[in-house]
Amino acid sequence: MRHLGFHLYLALVIIASPLILPGCYSFVTIDVPGASRTTAVAINNAGEIVGSFENDTGTHGFLRSSSGNFTTFDIPGADGTEGHGINDIGQIVGDFGDGRQFLGFLRESTGRFTTIGFPGKAVNGRPFGINNSGELVGEFLDAIGRHGFLRRSDGKLMIIDIPGSSTVAAIGLNNKGQATGYFDTGTEF
């Protein structure tokens, strides 16, 4: 039995080796011109990348085309803008600060912004992902705790809470409407 386990392990290493050998991948440096720091967060199937960058005027969002051209964007009047997700249509989600709180936004491929509202007395909200149907996922914070959300393409918001947890966030969303995320019950491993 001991030899069978070793042979299975060896077979897996041999099969997987071509997948992890150097040269099977390449790296591209993403650096917004004039930025002191660039953070690339999401990529769509066309190779467009979204994220944020910092310079001497603050934090701003960016879109990098598949050909390497940058489009920077800011919510008018915001003191900071960050892109978090992009779908294949070119819609971008992220958050911006207004000096008191962080709010969510949806940026259409035309450049038009829509502010994402959250229920009750939410003090912060961040969309993290968007699928090709225009559904969004993310998190918002209120007096009770941090909640996950799924916002349908018609604007209806579904709150995602896990019993026994005060921290929930939905991070990723596929085109079937299936979401991923995390929650914390406050217990240790």
Side-chain angles (χ1 to χ4, degrees):
M1 190 60 128
R2 183 178 200 190
H3 293 292
L4 177 62
F6 174 76
H7 291 291
L8 286 175
Y9 171 76
L10 184 61
L12 285 173
V13 169
I14 291 170
I15 291 169
S17 292
L19 301 176
I20 57 175
L21 291 176
C24 294
Y25 51 85
S26 63
F27 289 96
V28 175
T29 300
I30 309 296
D31 192 12
V32 175
S36 58
R37 179 177 174 170
T38 301
T39 305
V41 179
I43 186 170
N44 67 12
N45 289 320
E48 297 171 312
I49 298 170
V50 67
S52 62
F53 69 97
E54 295 175 19
N55 64 16
D56 57 353
T57 63
T59 302
H60 314 276
F62 77 85
L63 169 65
R64 182 186 181 271
S65 71
S66 57
S67 62
N69 297 317
F70 288 94
T71 300
T72 62
F73 58 87
D74 291 294
I75 298 285
D79 59 6
T81 303
E82 296 182 353
H84 295 301
I86 185 170
N87 64 15
D88 293 335
I89 302 162
Q91 295 172 308
I92 297 170
V93 294
D95 67 69
F96 67 98
D98 71 355
R100 296 175 296 120
Q101 61 185 350
F102 288 97
L103 302 168
F105 71 82
L106 167 66
R107 181 186 184 270
E108 299 290 343
S109 58
T110 61
R112 184 176 63 93
F113 289 99
T114 302
T115 300
I116 306 299
F118 299 99
K121 297 184 180 195
V123 294
N124 286 310
R126 290 183 170 92
F128 291 123
I130 182 169
N131 67 15
N132 291 342
S133 298
E135 297 174 315
L136 318 175
V137 291
E139 67 178 10
F140 70 92
L141 178 66
D142 64 14
I144 297 170
R146 189 173 308 276
H147 313 272
F149 74 84
L150 168 66
R151 181 182 178 262
R152 300 280 179 201
S153 56
D154 63 7
K156 292 183 180 170
L157 198 73
M158 182 177 90
I159 299 172
I160 303 170
D161 281 327
I162 306 294
S165 176
S166 62
T167 300
V168 179
I171 304 295
L173 180 67
N174 68 15
N175 289 324
K176 293 181 180 180
Q178 299 167 321
T180 61
Y182 66 87
F183 68 97
D184 182 6
T185 59
T187 59
E188 299 207 16
F189 296 105

